[in-house]
């Protein structure tokens, strides 16, 4: 089969479109004929090489996958050949305490497609049957691939970690990112008031079109603008994933008792916090990683009801993966960059 692979870590130039063997499946596996695979910032980390993480090379990246069921193992009963499906990105053992209590992202074996196991930038991918989910409503393959990782992540951050309540005010950093465009919609669906940041005027307009009540440029002193928009208070929740470049302003945007939740640091990990400011104002800083399978199902339910929609920046053929990586690396996108295999 055709796949995008890399045999060494590095820039987008290490990605090659090559022939590789088709995966074999076990009794509880499903072979999916991939039709679309959306990129995430994670793909860039995996391609560059993750500190402390050993990725078997050559490697097929891609965590957000949709397609058709091509073949099923002897014990698979939840899907049939030909079904239109998307894959839950997180793989886990399915039998430990974390898994059976529904907290699968805490499983010690938890990995994502396209990290230490082969991903979806290929004509076929093997998946455990428990990860295979029918595509809700009438989403296209490209739209379905744009959903799982970012909506699951944003859901987990806002509800499980930050305990967002209706009528609260949320600041979503970087509306143009996949996770930011998901967070705006989820927070609005939950009844929150949303202020979003973005790096350019066209992106601010798109953030408002997605439902953000206010949109501010995130260069410079955006906390001042956030304070102005909240009657001098600051917001209840800051939704972070940019890290170093926005960290101080994100902290300053919180009202007393506010919660900052973060799932990443695309501009770097070195941030400081004034501990006095933290305890006197009774702030919470919360880490978040991926989400539970149940949260993906909950998000998909809101897609069925038409309350959420995929945000696609562009669709490119699989063989142009390197160009797609560059677009994400240069932050040119608004929403998801999707690779398709017609
Ligand atoms: Zn487990």
């Amino acid at each position: 089969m055709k796949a995008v692979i890399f045999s060494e870590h590095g820039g987008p130039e290490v990605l090659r479109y090559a022939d590789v063997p088709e995966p074999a499946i076990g009794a509880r596996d499903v072979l999916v004929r991939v039709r679309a695979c959306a990129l995430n910032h994670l793909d860039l980390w995996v391609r560059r090489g993750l500190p402390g993480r050993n990725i078997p090379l050559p490697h097929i990246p891609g965590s957000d996958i949709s397609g058709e069921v091509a073949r099923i193992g002897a014990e698979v009963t939840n899907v049939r050949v030909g079904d239109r499906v998307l894959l839950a990105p997180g793989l886990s053992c399915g039998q430990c305490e974390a898994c059976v209590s529904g907290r699968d992202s805490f499983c010690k074996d938890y990995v994502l497609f396209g990290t230490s196991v082969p991903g979806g930038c290929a004509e076929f991918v093997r998946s455990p049957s428990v990860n295979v989910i029918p595509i809700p409503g009438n989403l296209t393959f490209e739209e379905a691939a744009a959903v799982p990782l970012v909506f699951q992540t944003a859901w987990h951050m806002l509800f499980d970690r930050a305990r967002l309540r209706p009528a609260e005010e949320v600041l979503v950093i970087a509306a143009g990112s996949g996770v930011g465009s998901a967070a705006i919609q989820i927070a609005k669906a939950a009844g929150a008031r949303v202020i979003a940041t973005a790096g350019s005027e066209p992106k601010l307009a798109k953030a408002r079109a997605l439902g953000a009540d206010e949109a501010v440029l995130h260069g410079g002193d955006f906390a001042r603008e956030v304070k102005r928009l909240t009657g001098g208070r600051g917001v209840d929740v800051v939704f972070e994933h940019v890290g170093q470049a926005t960290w101080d302003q994100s902290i300053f945007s919180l009202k007393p008792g506010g919660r900052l939740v973060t799932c990443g640091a695309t501009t770097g990990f070195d941030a400081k916090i004034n501990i006095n400011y933290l305890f006197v104002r009774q702030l919470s800083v919360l880490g978040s990683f991926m989400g539970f399978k149940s949260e993906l199902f909950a998000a998909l339910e809101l897609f069925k009801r038409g309350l959420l929609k995929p945000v696609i920046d562009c669709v490119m053929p699989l063989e142009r993966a390197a160009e797609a990586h560059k677009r994400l690396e240069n932050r040119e996108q608004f929403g998801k960059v999707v690779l398709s295999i017609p």
Side-chain angles (χ1 to χ4, degrees), residues 4 17 316-323 339-340:
V4 170
Y17 188 62
M316 296 186 195
L318 180 65
E319 56 267 36
R320 284 167 61 193
E323 196 182 322
L339 297 169
S340 79

Side-chain angles (χ1 to χ4, degrees), residues 91-100 103-104 106-110:
L91 303 152
S92 65
C93 81
Q95 44 197 357
C96 71
E97 186 192 348
C99 283
V100 298
R103 300 169 61 79
D104 50 301
F106 284 100
C107 175
K108 69 173 175 43
D109 296 334
Y110 191 77

Side-chain angles (χ1 to χ4, degrees), residues 53-72:
R53 190 87 77 83
N54 244 345
I55 288 163
L57 299 174
H59 179 68
I60 302 173
S63 307
D64 264 335
I65 305 162
S66 70
E68 289 152 331
V69 173
R71 202 182 312 150
I72 59 173

Side-chain angles (χ1 to χ4, degrees), residues 12-219:
E13 70 281 357
V14 301
L15 298 172
R16 288 187 296 127
Y17 188 62
D19 288 297
V20 300
E22 197 179 293
I25 60 166
R28 294 182 186 179
D29 291 335
V30 172
L31 185 72
V32 174
R33 166 28 177 130
V34 179
R35 296 292 303 274
C37 186
L39 292 187
N40 290 283
H41 214 90
L42 177 65
D43 293 289
L44 308 183
W45 291 114
V46 169
R47 193 204 66 219
R48 292 172 192 152
L50 287 164
R53 190 87 77 83
N54 244 345
I55 288 163
L57 299 174
H59 179 68
I60 302 173
S63 307
D64 264 335
I65 305 162
S66 70
E68 289 152 331
V69 173
R71 202 182 312 150
I72 59 173
E75 294 173 25
V76 174
T77 56
N78 63 326
V79 287
R80 293 178 181 189
V81 171
D83 283 358
R84 301 171 78 251
V85 295
L86 58 83
L87 301 185
L91 303 152
S92 65
C93 81
Q95 44 197 357
C96 71
E97 186 192 348
C99 283
V100 298
S101 60
R103 300 169 61 79
D104 50 301
S105 60
F106 284 100
C107 175
K108 69 173 175 43
D109 296 334
Y110 191 77
V111 294
L112 302 176
F113 280 112
T115 59
S116 44
V117 298
C121 286
E123 285 180 293
F124 294 94
V125 65
R126 171 182 56 205
S127 171
S129 60
V130 294
N131 283 70
V132 184
I133 301 170
I135 292 176
N138 47 15
L139 295 183
T140 64
F141 287 116
E142 288 79 11
E143 288 171 335
V147 171
L149 198 147
V150 289
F151 279 89
Q152 187 176 10
T153 298
W155 193 284
H156 188 68
M157 291 170 73
L158 290 170
F159 299 134
D160 187 78
R161 303 298 289 137
R163 303 284 170 191
L164 177 68
R165 291 184 297 271
E168 285 195 320
E169 292 173 307
V170 184
L171 174 66
V172 175
I173 305 296
S177 65
V179 76
S181 60
I184 290 171
Q185 296 183 68
I186 294 171
K188 283 303 288 181
R193 175 172 182 245
V194 175
I195 303 170
T197 78
S200 69
E201 290 293 341
K203 286 188 179 185
L204 294 182
K206 287 181 180 175
R208 289 191 196 97
L210 260 189
D213 299 280
E214 304 284 352
V216 299
L217 285 170
H218 60 201

